[in-house]
Amino acid sequence: MMRRVVLFLPLVAFLALGVMFYSQLGKDVNAMPSALIGQKVPSFTLVSLESDELVTHDNLPNGPYLLNFWGTWCPACHIEHPFLNILAQSGIAIIGIDYKDQKILAQQWLQEKGNPYQQVLMDELGHFGLDMGVTGAPETFVIDSQGSVVYRHQGAINAQNWPIIRGYLR
């Protein structure tokens, strides 16, 4: 009797894996839960790429906006950047956080590829990224008109995933 039960264990394991994979179908693989959902953007003091002035969270826009972590070292950021330019041209407010990068490389990047950002802030050591729970770049947070994080997107923003992200921008 015990021997027959042992024979069915691979089938039970296979069915359990099938149920687990099936339950994940259709989910947005780039949506990452964040402990900051529903909370204000953490306090920070960063240096502006353009003016070298100190910028705090008090200087962020009052309306909804995207907070985009990027870097010149990031291949996916190269892919994402043209779409961010399109979003900026359509009036979407985007704050750029140049993440773990060199100032001169970031300036060259924006000069060559265009600047979709209302402000670009330098997070050279990644401390603000750590506070935001950033795991890599590009990573984008949707901030609502109350200054709260409402959505986190890991990976490049593009025409396919933009409708989902835009839905949180209010």
Side-chain angles (χ1 to χ4, degrees), residues 49-80:
L49 179 72
E50 296 94 353
S51 67
D52 287 330
E53 294 177 0
L54 293 179
V55 176
T56 70
H57 67 285
D58 294 332
N59 302 106
L60 294 175
N62 292 326
Y65 62 94
L66 302 177
L67 187 63
N68 176 253
F69 285 78
W70 63 281
T72 60
W73 48 266
C74 158
C77 298
H78 288 266
I79 297 168
E80 177 186 61

Side-chain angles (χ1 to χ4, degrees), residues 96-159:
I97 306 295
D98 188 31
Y99 183 62
K100 296 183 177 180
D101 206 355
Q102 296 176 26
K103 180 178 181 177
I104 187 69
L105 296 177
Q107 290 172 325
Q108 288 172 349
W109 163 293
L110 294 173
Q111 206 165 32
E112 292 170 9
K113 298 179 180 288
N115 185 352
Y117 304 110
Q118 286 187 351
Q119 296 182 61
V120 181
L121 308 176
M122 300 291 300
D123 188 18
E124 293 171 296
L125 300 177
H127 294 300
F128 181 53
L130 190 63
D131 290 345
M132 291 293 294
V134 170
T135 59
E139 198 159 313
T140 302
F141 295 85
V142 178
I143 313 299
D144 70 7
S145 57
Q146 306 302 312
S148 297
V149 177
V150 293
Y151 185 74
R152 173 185 182 187
H153 178 82
Q154 187 178 33
I157 296 176
N158 54 42

Side-chain angles (χ1 to χ4, degrees), residues 15-47:
L15 290 174
L17 284 172
V19 168
M20 186 178 76
F21 287 127
Y22 182 77
S23 69
Q24 298 299 313
L25 288 177
K27 292 189 175 178
D28 182 1
V29 294
N30 292 319
M32 295 283 295
S34 171
L36 294 176
I37 299 296
Q39 297 184 26
K40 301 285 184 190
V41 173
S43 296
F44 66 84
T45 302
L46 297 172
V47 176

